[in-house]
Amino acid sequence: MITIRVWKRVVLTLAISGLICAGAAAQPANNNCAAALPLSEGSTPFNTAGATNDGPAASCGQIGADIWYTYTATCDSTVVMSMCGTGASSNYDAMLVVYNGASCVGAEIACNDDFCGSGLGSQVSFPATNGQQFKVRVAGWSGAQGSGVLNVICQPPFPGDNCPNAVAITEGSYTGTTAGASNDGSADCGSSASSADVWYRYTATQDCELWIDTCGSSFDTVLSAHTGCPGTPANQLACNDDTCGVGSRVIVNVTSGTTYWIRIAGWQGATGSYALHVLCQQPSAPGADAYIGEINQFQQFGRLGDVVGCALDSPLCNAGTQPLDWYGNPDPRHPFAAFNMYRLMSDRFEQIGQSWCKHGFGAGQSDACGFGCIPYPNSTHLGVGCSDTYDAGTNANQQFLGPRYEINPWTGSYTYPGSYLQLHANDPHNPVEHRLQLHDADLAAAQNPGAVYVGEVYIVCHDDVNHMNSSGREPVTVTGVPGGVWNFNVGAPATVNGPAIQSWPGATLTTIPPNLIDDGRSILAVKVTDIGNGTWHYEYALYNHDMDRAVRSLRIPVASTTVVTNIGFHAVESGGEGYNNAPWTSAIAGGALTWSTDPYEVNPAANPLRWGTLYNFRFDANVGPAQSIGTLGLYKPGTPATLTGVTQGPSGAVGLGDMNQDAHVDLRDVAAFDNCFTGSGGAPATNDCEPAHFDGDTDIDLTDYAGLEAVLTGP
């Protein structure tokens, strides 16, 4: 019995000992620096369980159990090793240290603890040359152990990674990513002092207010502007985190000839793709400034046959210095909200729907734009910095919708007595009437392969000091089937201020006229594509933002030897406002290709390009592009009769007013023009008189004379 008991005790002891041995973690194969494993670009899982410490102290914290790798660089650039971001991870408080050279006694060149937003993972970046070797130490703070995934990137030179190599930019939109970037700057907001950052350099060409934003970015950005490099809180002009969703916005006053640095980073180490928008505009005069905030709703509210009636919400903020008027009818001093829909497909940017105007009737006092609201004591005004958002359902209410033509977009004037809302607001309405009307054929995926849609909110106010930020646009994801209910997702990216035509990638935009007098402006955009076989495709989009007199013609110079084919035109339906929706006619005469609708004097209900509306013009030509002059003929009577702006057209054409064809319009052209005007220089249709045809018709009259005067005295 005793033997048996002893035997049992021995067996039990061995069993317990075995359990203890089985439960202890084995040391990793690369527990010691001398046994370091090779490390390459890509993702490498690691586990420090059972590891011991055999390295020196680290500069970035109390280092504990460690494992080792040997890394050989494959590029002449920056190496980024990270436990943050897509595919990377750390389930414990990890540390990361890099030493120079292949031996275990190299100098420390990078060390980090707690880089990632979670506070657990780490990231380092350091310069390297192809073939250079490093020792990499993965450890834990104060003895912590665990597992994770280490991502290694040896990337080509990263655009704007370092402030001295900042990318030079002008006004416009830019895209990029901070993933893989290093850190060499800081700012005093957004917890971004150690975040990966990229840099841009902007040199002001005029004294202006520089609006910079990352609205529409895919991650939580932190944006700052600086007067020096590298950027720090000491030379910081402005810093912002989370103005437009997770996007950021700063506004700084800049001086002509001075260079400024723009830093894009992430909140607590966040990285990702960003969109950067830069706009230099004259500071608004004191007053109310209608500004579009974040659009969140786009809904269908009715159907009639193959047409659906929709509406968006209208987040209006007051970015000005004075309260904004918001009296309800019959008082005309209130906002008017119009809604538009555009489609980008096959490199064409077309408007496919528009609504009547929603009349505001009272203001709330929220702070949707983050300007800091100073509430007005009642609903007759929107306080400074405040916001008011009418939801899509309210904006779809047909009792508040009136025609656009009753509103002057430049002055914001409106007369209630005798208006549609006074006479017909309570009339029966069909399910789509006056709402943003869209055809099934323009939304169906099968009929619109690869289409990208853009929704737009544009709000006119009589006391608005800056019309250009009174519209905002956002990409829209459309799902559904014809005959059913369409779903419109405007969740991301964030709303961007400015007219939707600015979303046409690669287009060249010209504002006409560049200097305003007593009416608004249009924007002429163009893209020219080489389609092979010695042929180029010319695609124009003309958008009337706030020009009350409207546009009745577009003229593009074309040389008599140029072969023009496939002339086209597209216009959105007017939505029952009394215009005839007839396509503009095209003609080649007088050295130009001209599209036009009937003059106002002939037909007050023709089809002019009205405010908040975009029309398209296109053709093919056997001649490549050159700088040219686009001429707009205005619809409503007044002076001037035409406006001009620089665009692209077939090369070889003579510019308007360039009578002696020396590429300049000056006093030397006046005598030749007078000869054509009086007929003493020959028949008006001769080639010598082609540059005199400002209005695009076949004769030379006072309208053309006014056009020459405008070119001579204008920019």
Side-chain angles (χ1 to χ4, degrees):
M1 297 296 294
I2 294 174
T3 303
I4 294 173
R5 287 173 182 162
V6 172
W7 177 78
K8 286 182 177 179
R9 190 173 292 121
V10 171
V11 172
L12 181 61
T13 301
L14 291 173
I16 294 172
S17 176
L19 286 172
I20 294 173
C21 292
Q27 290 183 350
N30 56 342
N31 180 49
N32 300 311
C33 180
L37 296 176
L39 179 67
S40 59
E41 277 89 40
S43 299
T44 299
F46 65 85
N47 194 329
T48 63
T52 59
N53 182 297
D54 73 328
S59 65
C60 59
Q62 185 176 343
I63 197 164
D66 53 31
I67 57 177
W68 294 82
Y69 296 92
T70 300
Y71 170 74
T72 303
T74 60
C75 67
D76 296 326
S77 185
T78 299
V79 175
V80 179
M81 298 183 177
S82 179
M83 301 170 190
C84 315
T86 304
S89 65
S90 175
N91 67 1
Y92 75 110
D93 195 348
M95 299 178 64
L96 190 57
V97 192
V98 178
Y99 303 88
N100 189 35
S103 72
C104 292
V105 294
E108 178 188 302
I109 62 171
C111 185
N112 179 252
D113 176 37
D114 296 349
F115 182 92
C116 308
S118 65
L120 296 176
S122 300
Q123 176 175 301
V124 296
S125 59
F126 52 91
T129 58
N130 190 19
Q132 186 177 359
Q133 290 190 314
F134 303 88
K135 277 291 188 288
V136 180
R137 186 183 185 190
V138 178
W141 185 83
S142 190
Q145 299 182 14
S147 61
V149 177
L150 177 64
N151 281 350
V152 180
I153 303 173
C154 190
Q155 58 192 20
F158 198 96
D161 184 25
N162 299 308
C163 187
N165 298 320
V167 178
I169 58 172
T170 58
E171 289 185 80
S173 297
Y174 305 87
T175 58
T177 180
T178 61
S182 61
N183 168 265
D184 72 328
S186 60
D188 65 5
C189 75
S191 301
S192 67
S194 61
S195 296
D197 51 31
V198 297
W199 294 87
Y200 289 89
R201 185 177 75 252
Y202 175 85
T203 300
T205 58
Q206 59 178 314
D207 295 349
C208 68
E209 209 171 58
L210 193 67
W211 288 57
I212 314 166
D213 72 68
T214 55
C215 299
S217 298
S218 66
F219 74 107
D220 195 346
T221 63
V222 177
L223 180 66
S224 56
H226 303 263
T227 58
C229 188
T232 67
N235 59 26
Q236 174 184 299
L237 291 172
C239 182
N240 179 254
D241 176 34
D242 296 350
T243 289
C244 44
V246 294
S248 310
R249 177 182 292 111
V250 296
I251 304 171
V252 295
N253 292 316
V254 299
T255 303
S256 179
T258 303
T259 298
Y260 302 86
W261 284 265
I262 300 168
R263 176 180 184 251
I264 301 175
W267 181 79
Q268 289 195 352
T271 61
S273 300
Y274 60 81
L276 174 67
H277 309 98
V278 180
L279 175 64
C280 185
Q281 58 184 13
Q282 294 304 312
S284 299
D289 184 4
Y291 181 95
I292 303 301
E294 181 67 21
I295 301 170
N296 290 303
Q297 296 178 332
F298 192 138
Q299 295 176 235
Q300 174 181 327
F301 289 93
R303 169 178 287 280
L304 184 64
D306 68 337
V307 178
V308 294
C310 304
L312 293 79
D313 64 342
S314 53
L316 179 59
C317 305
N318 182 4
T321 61
Q322 297 293 327
L324 183 140
D325 287 350
W326 208 305
Y327 300 92
N329 279 324
D331 195 309
R333 297 172 295 169
H334 55 258
F336 309 92
F339 309 101
N340 297 318
M341 179 72 148
Y342 303 85
R343 177 187 59 204
L344 175 62
M345 186 175 69
S346 301
D347 218 11
R348 290 176 174 173
F349 192 78
E350 298 178 325
Q351 186 174 6
I352 59 171
Q354 62 180 191
S355 73
W356 283 25
C357 281
K358 155 67 184 305
H359 287 242
F361 48 78
Q365 312 293 327
S366 300
D367 190 15
C369 289
F371 293 150
C373 176
I374 304 175
Y376 197 78
N378 59 55
S379 64
T380 63
H381 293 77
L382 184 64
V384 173
C386 300
S387 67
D388 184 85
T389 302
Y390 289 158
D391 62 22
T394 303
N395 289 335
N397 188 326
Q398 291 152 316
Q399 292 183 329
F400 301 130
L401 295 173
R404 297 189 187 194
Y405 68 79
E406 294 183 339
I407 301 157
N408 183 319
W410 178 241
T411 64
S413 62
Y414 163 74
T415 301
Y416 180 74
S419 68
Y420 178 89
L421 287 181
Q422 186 199 39
L423 301 176
H424 302 288
N426 295 318
D427 290 358
H429 295 87
N430 67 44
V432 303
E433 204 167 8
H434 312 331
R435 293 168 172 163
L436 171 57
Q437 297 182 10
L438 302 170
H439 287 263
D440 283 343
D442 288 326
L443 302 175
Q447 296 171 257
N448 301 275
V452 175
Y453 295 93
V454 179
E456 181 182 56
V457 175
Y458 178 19
I459 300 182
V460 173
C461 303
H462 84 97
D463 50 351
D464 183 13
V465 297
N466 181 5
H467 292 193
M468 296 310 293
N469 64 4
S470 303
S471 61
R473 79 269 191 184
E474 185 165 339
V476 181
T477 301
V478 181
T479 56
V481 295
V485 176
W486 294 100
N487 296 308
F488 304 93
N489 185 355
V490 292
T495 299
V496 176
N497 282 99
I501 194 173
Q502 296 172 345
S503 294
W504 188 11
T508 300
L509 277 61
T510 299
T511 300
I512 304 175
N515 300 308
L516 304 177
I517 304 175
D518 58 356
D519 200 359
R521 77 223 85 183
S522 291
I523 298 175
L524 177 61
V526 59
K527 288 191 75 172
V528 183
T529 306
D530 185 346
I531 57 178
N533 298 321
T535 305
W536 284 261
H537 178 71
Y538 292 79
E539 186 78 25
Y540 300 86
L542 179 60
Y543 167 73
N544 178 354
H545 185 64
D546 53 0
M547 188 181 292
D548 179 64
R549 292 181 58 201
V551 180
R552 79 165 192 90
S553 66
L554 170 64
R555 180 188 191 276
I556 302 296
V558 175
S560 58
T561 56
T562 300
V563 178
V564 176
T565 58
N566 298 324
I567 300 173
F569 170 81
H570 175 271
V572 64
E573 293 178 351
S574 70
E577 288 202 54
Y579 298 98
N580 62 23
N581 284 317
W584 287 17
T585 58
S586 61
I588 299 177
L593 169 58
T594 303
W595 293 266
S596 62
T597 189
D598 292 335
Y600 180 87
E601 296 82 359
V602 175
N603 185 1
N607 188 23
L609 177 65
R610 302 166 301 282
W611 69 268
T613 306
L614 181 146
Y615 286 178
N616 301 88
F617 311 84
R618 56 185 66 106
F619 63 90
D620 296 338
N622 66 337
V623 178
Q627 181 172 297
S628 186
I629 299 294
T631 303
L632 311 184
L634 302 189
Y635 182 64
K636 294 182 181 179
T639 302
T642 61
L643 297 170
T644 61
V646 176
T647 187
Q648 296 181 54
S651 61
V654 179
L656 285 173
D658 186 12
M659 306 301 299
N660 59 4
Q661 302 184 24
D662 65 352
H664 300 282
V665 181
D666 51 32
L667 292 176
R668 288 171 292 187
D669 297 299
V670 174
F673 183 92
D674 284 340
N675 288 337
C676 293
F677 181 71
T678 61
S680 58
T686 63
N687 289 339
D688 289 343
C689 291
E690 284 185 3
H693 290 278
F694 278 85
D695 61 2
D697 56 21
T698 57
D699 60 355
I700 299 174
D701 51 25
L702 289 174
T703 301
D704 300 300
Y705 201 95
L708 177 65
E709 182 182 17
V711 172
L712 286 171
T713 60

